[in-house]
Amino acid sequence: MLASLVATCKMSSVNPVDYIANTLQAILDGHPKSRIEDLMPWHFSQTSRLAA
C-alpha cells in the first residue's frame, strides 16, 4: 500500500515525504471525512494547507 501511494505521488509530480507528512497533519488537525478527496495526491499543493 505504501509503495502504491509513493508511486501515485511520483506520477502526480508530488514529493511523497511532503505529501504524507502534510496529509497526516491534516488528519490530526481534524480534516473532515466528507472532504477526503481533498487529501488525494493529485490535489496536493506544496503551498497550501490541506486542512483549511
Side-chain angles (χ1 to χ4, degrees):
M1 185 167 136
L2 183 59
S4 175
L5 180 59
V6 170
T8 301
C9 286
K10 288 181 179 182
M11 288 189 315
S12 299
S13 299
V14 170
N15 180 323
V17 174
D18 290 342
Y19 168 75
I20 293 169
N22 284 328
T23 300
L24 290 174
Q25 188 61 54
I27 292 168
L28 290 172
D29 289 344
H31 188 85
K33 291 179 185 177
S34 62
R35 292 183 44 214
I36 195 72
E37 183 68 24
D38 295 347
L39 300 178
M40 298 297 120
W42 47 87
H43 290 288
F44 180 72
S45 173
Q46 301 262 350
T47 57
S48 70
R49 288 280 308 171
L50 292 175

